[in-house]
Amino acid sequence: MSTDTIRAAGAVLWRDDDGTVEVAVVHRPRYDDWSLPKGKLDAGETVPAAAVREVYEETGYHAALGRHVSQVHYKAFGRPKVVDYFSARALWGSFVPNSESDELRWLPVPEAAALVTRSLDRDVLGAFALVPADLKTVLLVRHAKAGKRENWPGDDDLRPLSSAGWRQAEAVRSLLPLFAPGRVYAAPRVRCVQTVQGVADDLRTSVRREVRLSEEGYWPDPDAGLVRFLEITGDEGVPVVSSQGGVIPDLVTKLADIGGLRVGDVPCKKGSVWVLAFTRPREGWSTSDSVVGWPRLVSAHYLPSALPAPRP
């Protein structure tokens, strides 16, 4: 992406009102238009962080991010502009008129689409409405950098993060709370655990070791690893799962195949995060059932780094 590109982020902020999904649309007095909350990234800010901040500044609501809904491209002031939109569940807050937005309306999606001024916002709402709002989010993390294997004299399972890896781990610690995680899992290698230990510490929980999601535990029986991952997905709350580069591409590809989702190549840089969104499993589901009742992957969004992008 060109260094001349303006990066921005926003969200479809939603709530459940007695079984009806409503989304927030704001009126911006500066432009006299109705819009989804969005805005430009601040210096040193990631795209997800900007989405959460802009939602709060324009609506007054704290929110938990979910799936990536769409990316919009257009020209602004003669420069290319890219806006990433996430689904965002309203947690708490209240709207107070301000200089950026002087009115907020909670509306069902069709009414919100009729109200927004820009056709691009209607396209985003259309993409949001393609799948249920209340999906299960899973944050699949590849462990951060741990130096070269040939330079570590001990047991490879004990190879720790490098100084660059610790910087990545701190970035993961800052990024993942934007999605409101509640559980933390890791392949039982030191570098996998260290990558998400800060997230677990902030949640005041422990990192649960998952042998099936390590390379040596996954490949003897990939189907068992897939089943274990789906069991983690089906439990309550948003899980964080830290695994390895020899597992993640195959796992995401298998999940996409089951869900009928096209993902193509599955990149997996160290310190990267896959934001996976699944339909909620059928009540009382079990992995012994037909795959029809399993959580089904409907969105897979790749964040190549938890670190903010360098500014031009």
Side-chain angles (χ1 to χ4, degrees):
M1 195 171 294
S2 167
T3 56
D4 192 46
T5 300
I6 301 169
R7 295 302 308 274
V12 181
L13 180 68
W14 67 274
R15 68 181 184 184
D16 188 324
D17 183 34
D18 285 333
T20 299
V21 171
E22 295 182 329
V23 299
V25 182
V26 294
H27 181 262
R28 303 185 299 175
R30 179 182 178 184
Y31 304 103
D32 189 23
D33 68 358
W34 288 93
S35 173
L36 298 173
K38 65 178 182 295
K40 291 187 291 185
L41 272 64
D42 287 341
E45 190 173 42
T46 62
V47 170
V52 170
R53 176 183 55 78
E54 287 291 340
V55 163
Y56 178 72
E57 290 178 356
E58 295 193 13
T59 71
Y61 282 85
H62 296 271
L65 295 183
R67 72 181 179 101
H68 183 267
V69 174
S70 66
Q71 187 179 78
V72 172
H73 298 251
Y74 58 97
K75 287 286 185 98
F77 309 107
R79 295 171 59 190
K81 185 171 183 178
V82 177
V83 188
D84 285 276
Y85 286 92
F86 291 82
S87 169
R89 176 169 53 90
L91 300 176
W92 71 88
S94 60
F95 176 73
V96 176
N98 57 77
S99 60
E100 291 197 45
S101 50
D102 58 2
E103 187 177 351
L104 179 148
R105 294 184 188 177
W106 287 103
L107 298 169
V109 173
E111 294 178 29
L115 179 63
V116 292
T117 303
R118 293 172 177 262
S119 61
L120 289 175
D121 281 0
R122 280 190 286 279
D123 293 341
V124 174
L125 288 169
F128 172 79
L130 288 175
V131 295
D134 190 19
L135 297 170
K136 289 297 302 288
T137 304
V138 181
L139 304 166
L140 181 56
V141 183
R142 184 180 177 186
H143 70 76
K145 293 180 179 179
K148 293 184 178 180
R149 181 177 301 183
E150 56 267 27
N151 294 337
W152 173 251
D155 184 342
D156 189 59
D157 285 1
L158 303 179
R159 180 157 49 99
L161 297 184
S162 64
S163 57
W166 280 114
R167 288 193 294 272
Q168 290 178 318
E170 282 301 308
V172 167
R173 186 177 189 172
S174 297
L175 175 72
L176 299 195
L178 301 170
F179 298 84
R183 299 176 279 129
V184 184
Y185 303 82
R189 287 189 170 178
V190 166
R191 55 192 179 275
C192 295
V193 175
Q194 287 179 332
T195 299
V196 293
Q197 185 65 60
V199 178
D201 291 345
D202 292 341
L203 292 172
R204 298 183 179 180
T205 189
S206 59
V207 179
R208 307 181 207 182
R209 272 60 165 181
E210 290 292 337
V211 174
R212 289 286 187 190
L213 299 177
S214 65
E215 289 174 352
E216 68 275 14
Y218 180 83
W219 282 109
D221 191 348
D223 287 344
L226 173 68
V227 165
R228 180 59 193 137
F229 187 85
L230 286 169
E231 289 173 342
I232 292 170
T233 299
D235 289 341
E236 288 303 312
V238 174
V240 172
V241 179
S242 175
S243 186
Q244 298 177 260
V247 173
I248 291 172
D250 188 74
L251 181 60
V252 172
T253 299
K254 282 184 167 61
L255 291 166
D257 288 345
I258 292 171
L261 184 68
R262 289 193 171 196
V263 293
D265 293 336
V266 179
C268 187
K269 291 175 60 178
K270 290 176 182 176
S272 63
V273 180
W274 276 95
V275 180
L276 306 176
F278 295 80
T279 56
R280 291 190 173 270
R282 184 176 57 199
E283 187 174 351
W285 82 289
S286 168
T287 49
S288 62
D289 297 338
S290 161
V291 294
V292 173
W294 292 6
R296 181 172 59 87
L297 184 68
V298 296
S299 173
H301 180 61
Y302 181 62
L303 299 171
S305 173
L307 293 163
R311 302 290 287 182

